[in-house]
């Protein structure tokens, strides 16, 4: 079908100004994604006529004798015929879609098909190729650094001249702020200016060495990383209890100051706990994936919290290391990126294999690593020993107060008939497991209605031992880390990402298919 006569002058004018060669990613992909993918894209449930235009195979496919895109032949390509049509029953996009291509977009689509409809993957998923360094007339390779050549080339293309060299006073301020986040002192400025008079490049080199050796350098570079890693010193919900993630923060600062290679920087944060004979520092590094918020609300469902924590790890890891958003494919195949829901939960499975339960209302949810000093550890051991001794005394006392067969718990005695909450806080909890709240309730009862001064004295002794043990343990620095379950946890794709709606589709840990080598390794 020929284009309408009224459109020919427009197409002719556009042809004269059209790019010498159409680029799929630059010129065609935006048109297709904005106007066509809603009905002919990755969403199988919304796809119409069995036509898929977001893949090369789908666009070039012949279906029922009709080919949407026939490379090199726009006149034989049904998609182009319908794009150019002025028949409201045939035109694409259809009028009811409220989408309309401009004459320029139509011309680009036609030109692209006539040029052979060359397909291209999104640039983000194509391995980069090192470009040739441009040579600028009169500049040689340009500047003192290879990147300068590209800058000078672009300036020349735009008929712009490079800005004048910065004064030494400006250079020392810019470099110091960039590398340490702090301005230079007056003495540092004066020293750099004096040194630059003799040899500016030497002065810059010496300044660079000094700034890179400063502890402030690691702190400055850590700023951006801490933001990306959602670092915080509190949990972020309700009472917002404090947590000691600062040892992980210090690990990041030290890594920058030590010029740790990026591959090791990555491995230790994502899997430091899985390394053979992992050091305490490597386990601390894995705390990267514990920086998420933690909901310790009283009525919260632990499994829901745990699953949402895993979601956070998947999406943060994808954002930082893959440079891709994974939020959409948690619930369905991604509309515009080559990521499926199966890809999402395959990556999810990798982070789903830790002992975290989603429970805990404080600032340190297990698993954690102990960062205690020898002195702190000694205080903890002494407090635990005192607590254990008092527990033995309480067990012996209660065996007399609530007679029962030896070896049986309080549940086998008349104590189970105690009023209120006491059966739960006192009877069902062994003396070694009783907490402050339960003991306070028991003490209040036996000081009043259940009059028993001797038992009250024993309970108060246990209460003091519990408080002393907890105080010693709470003063020990612990940092949340990752670990690995001894028995793998099964991972199933969740319906729309709902924690309590698993499908029958079981997945195993893997990177997204589009990012794996062709061999599938």
């Amino acid at each position: 079908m020929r284009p309408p006569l009224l459109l020919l002058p427009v197409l002719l004018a556009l042809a004269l100004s059209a790019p010498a060669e159409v680029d799929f990613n630059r010129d065609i992909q935006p048109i297709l994604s904005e106007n066509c993918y809603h009905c002919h894209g990755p969403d199988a449930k919304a796809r119409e006529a069995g036509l898929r235009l977001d893949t090369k195979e789908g666009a070039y496919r012949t279906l029922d004798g009709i080919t949407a895109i026939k490379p090199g032949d726009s006149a034989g390509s049904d998609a182009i015929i319908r794009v150019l049509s002025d028949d409201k029953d045939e035109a694409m996009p259809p009028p009811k879609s409220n989408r309309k291509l401009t004459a320029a977009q139509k011309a680009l689509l036609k030109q692209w098909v006539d040029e052979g409809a060359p397909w291209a993957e999104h640039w983000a998923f194509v391995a980069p190729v090192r470009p040739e360094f441009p040579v600028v007339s009169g500049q040689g390779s340009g500047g003192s650094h290879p990147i300068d050549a590209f800058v000078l080339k672009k300036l020349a293309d735009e008929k712009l001249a490079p800005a004048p060299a910065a004064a030494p006073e400006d250079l020392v301020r810019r470099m110091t702020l960039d590398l340490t986040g702090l301005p230079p002192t007056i003495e540092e400025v004066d020293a750099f200016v004096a040194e630059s008079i003799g040899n500016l490049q030497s002065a810059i080199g010496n300044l660079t060495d000094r700034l890179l050796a400063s502890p402030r350098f690691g702190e400055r570079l850590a700023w951006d990383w801490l933001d990306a890693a959602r670092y915080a010193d509190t949990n972020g919900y309700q009472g917002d209890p404090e947590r000691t993630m600062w040892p992980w923060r210090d690990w990041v600062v030290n890594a920058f100051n030590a010029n740790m290679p990026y591959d090791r920087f990555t491995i230790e944060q994502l899997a430091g706990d899985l390394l053979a004979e992992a050091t305490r520092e490597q386990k601390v590094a894995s705390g990267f994936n514990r920086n998420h918020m933690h909901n310790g609300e009283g009525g919260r469902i632990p499994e829901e919290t745990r699953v949402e924590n895993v979601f956070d790890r998947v999406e943060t890891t994808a954002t930082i290391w893959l440079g891709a958003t994974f939020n959409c494919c948690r619930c369905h195949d991604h509309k515009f990126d080559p990521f499926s829901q199966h890809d999402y939960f395959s990556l999810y499975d990798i982070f789903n294999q830790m002992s975290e339960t989603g429970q805990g209302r404080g600032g340190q949810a297990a698993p954690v690593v102990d960062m205690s000093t020898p002195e702190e550890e000694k205080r903890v051991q002494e407090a635990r020993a005192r607590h254990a001794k008092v527990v033995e005394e309480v067990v012996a006392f209660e065996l007399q107060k609530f007679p029962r067969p030896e070896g049986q718990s309080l549940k086998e005695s008349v104590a189970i008939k105690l009023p209120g909450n006491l059966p739960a806080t006192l009877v069902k909890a062994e003396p070694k497991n009783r907490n402050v709240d339960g003991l306070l309730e028991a003490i209040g009862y036996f000081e009043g209605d259940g009059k028993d001064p001797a038992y009250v004295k024993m309970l108060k002794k246990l209460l003091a031992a519990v408080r002393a043990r907890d105080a010693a343990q709470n003063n020990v620095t612990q940092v949340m880390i990752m670990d690995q379950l001894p028995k793998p946890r099964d991972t199933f794709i969740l319906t729309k990402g709902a924690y309590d709606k698993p499908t029958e589709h079981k997945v195993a840990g893997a990177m997204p298919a589009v990012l794996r080598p062709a061999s599938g390794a």
Side-chain angles (χ1 to χ4, degrees):
M1 179 180 177
R2 292 180 298 174
L5 291 176
L6 291 176
L7 187 59
L8 290 177
V10 177
L11 293 178
L12 180 61
L14 289 168
L16 295 175
S17 60
E21 186 175 334
V22 178
D23 181 274
F24 179 81
N25 278 327
R26 181 193 65 206
D27 304 315
I28 304 303
Q29 178 85 303
I31 299 175
L32 297 178
S33 63
E34 177 65 25
N35 298 282
C36 307
Y37 287 178
H38 181 72
C39 299
H40 304 296
D43 190 346
K45 294 180 180 179
R47 195 177 304 141
E48 296 184 10
L51 175 61
R52 185 169 185 179
L53 293 175
D54 64 309
T55 66
K56 181 178 180 180
E57 295 74 15
Y60 293 178
R61 178 187 177 195
T62 297
L63 186 65
D64 296 330
I66 297 174
T67 304
I69 302 295
K70 191 173 183 180
D73 184 6
S74 62
S77 300
D78 190 65
I80 303 303
I81 292 172
R82 301 189 68 174
V83 159
L84 298 177
S85 175
D86 58 359
D87 184 338
K88 66 178 182 180
D89 293 326
E90 186 178 72
M92 286 291 166
K96 66 179 181 180
S97 70
N98 293 321
R99 290 177 169 84
K100 187 175 181 180
L101 297 181
T102 66
Q105 290 173 323
K106 294 177 181 180
L108 275 172
L109 288 171
K110 181 179 183 299
Q111 180 183 346
W112 170 62
V113 173
D114 285 335
E115 289 178 356
W119 199 272
E121 298 298 327
H122 190 284
W123 62 264
F125 304 105
V126 176
V129 177
R130 185 179 294 276
E132 295 290 334
F133 290 112
V135 176
V136 183
S137 178
Q139 296 285 345
S141 60
S144 59
H145 191 280
I147 293 177
D148 293 341
F150 293 95
V151 175
L152 292 172
K153 177 64 168 61
K154 188 64 177 177
L155 289 174
D157 291 345
E158 299 295 332
K159 296 181 173 52
L160 295 173
E169 295 89 339
D170 295 330
L171 282 175
V172 65
R173 179 175 175 81
R174 291 175 186 173
M175 291 179 63
T176 307
L177 282 170
D178 282 348
L179 295 178
T180 68
L182 299 169
T185 64
I186 294 176
E187 293 75 17
E188 289 170 339
V189 172
D190 290 343
F192 178 79
V193 171
E195 185 181 0
S196 68
I197 294 174
N199 189 324
L200 178 60
Q201 291 305 316
S202 175
I204 290 175
N206 292 336
L207 175 61
T208 301
D209 291 341
R210 179 174 65 80
L211 294 176
L212 292 179
S214 168
R216 306 289 84 78
F217 169 71
E219 294 169 4
R220 168 64 190 91
L221 264 66
W223 288 356
D224 299 323
W225 190 259
L226 298 186
D227 283 343
R230 72 271 194 245
Y231 170 77
D233 290 310
T234 61
N235 275 359
Y237 284 100
Q238 288 188 313
D240 204 19
E242 291 185 3
R243 60 189 186 191
T244 51
M245 291 305 292
W246 59 260
W248 173 82
R249 175 205 65 197
D250 287 358
W251 181 92
V252 172
V253 172
N254 293 335
F256 279 119
N257 278 329
N259 198 25
M260 179 182 287
Y262 188 66
D263 57 351
R264 181 180 158 200
F265 185 73
T266 296
I267 290 169
E268 295 196 5
Q269 288 184 87
L270 290 181
D273 59 301
L274 298 178
L275 296 174
E277 299 181 2
T279 65
R280 187 173 74 171
E281 287 69 30
Q282 288 171 330
K283 292 178 181 178
V284 168
S286 75
F288 167 85
N289 266 314
R290 302 299 304 283
N291 276 318
H292 51 72
M293 296 169 66
H294 183 84
N295 192 342
E297 180 184 353
R300 184 70 163 168
I301 299 171
E303 178 64 6
E304 184 177 14
T305 294
R306 190 193 71 79
V307 168
E308 289 192 356
N309 291 347
V310 183
F311 285 157
D312 178 274
R313 291 171 197 136
V314 171
E315 291 158 18
T316 301
T317 299
T319 299
I320 292 180
W321 274 285
L322 304 184
T325 55
F326 253 49
N327 307 57
C328 297
C329 53
R330 179 202 298 185
C331 301
H332 53 74
D333 292 352
H334 205 294
K335 293 290 193 298
F336 305 110
D337 289 336
F339 300 123
S340 66
Q341 194 179 24
H342 186 278
D343 286 329
Y344 184 97
F345 282 95
S346 295
L347 190 57
Y348 175 102
D349 181 68
I350 295 174
F351 298 108
N352 196 33
Q353 305 303 327
M354 65 173 294
S355 65
E356 178 188 35
T357 63
Q359 296 177 321
R361 302 176 66 178
Q364 308 292 19
V368 298
V369 66
D370 192 332
M371 304 290 289
S372 59
T373 64
E375 293 76 15
E376 291 172 334
E377 183 60 29
K378 181 181 179 181
R379 285 194 291 271
V380 169
Q381 294 301 330
E382 290 175 346
R384 287 176 178 171
R386 287 195 297 272
H387 175 260
K389 184 177 180 181
V390 174
V391 165
E392 290 178 359
E393 295 177 20
V394 172
V395 169
F397 188 96
E398 290 182 343
L399 190 60
Q400 301 300 317
K401 180 173 177 59
F402 303 109
R404 60 200 185 277
E406 189 154 358
Q408 298 295 314
S409 70
L410 280 177
K411 290 185 288 185
E412 308 302 323
S413 71
V414 296
I416 197 67
K417 297 180 180 179
L418 287 169
N421 207 34
L422 291 177
T425 61
L426 185 71
V427 180
K428 294 182 181 179
E430 295 182 29
K432 65 179 180 180
N433 295 328
R434 291 174 190 166
N435 59 29
V436 171
D437 291 342
L439 287 169
L440 287 173
E441 185 173 357
I443 289 170
Y445 173 76
F446 288 105
E447 280 183 330
D449 296 343
K451 278 290 185 191
D452 189 336
Y455 190 38
V456 168
K457 182 178 180 181
M458 183 61 63
L459 291 176
K460 285 185 175 180
K461 188 173 183 180
L462 178 59
L463 175 64
V466 169
R467 282 174 164 164
R469 179 203 62 190
D470 291 350
Q473 292 179 163
N474 291 339
N475 285 330
V476 169
T477 299
Q478 293 181 321
V479 58
M480 292 186 288
I481 61 169
M482 298 288 284
D483 68 358
Q484 195 79 350
L485 288 169
K487 181 181 179 181
R489 176 187 284 124
D490 289 339
T491 295
F492 296 88
I493 293 178
L494 302 176
T495 302
K496 294 186 177 180
Y499 81 97
D500 56 349
K501 294 182 179 179
T503 67
E504 296 179 354
H505 300 293
K506 183 178 176 180
V507 296
M511 288 294 292
V514 72
L515 300 178
R516 296 200 297 268
S519 63

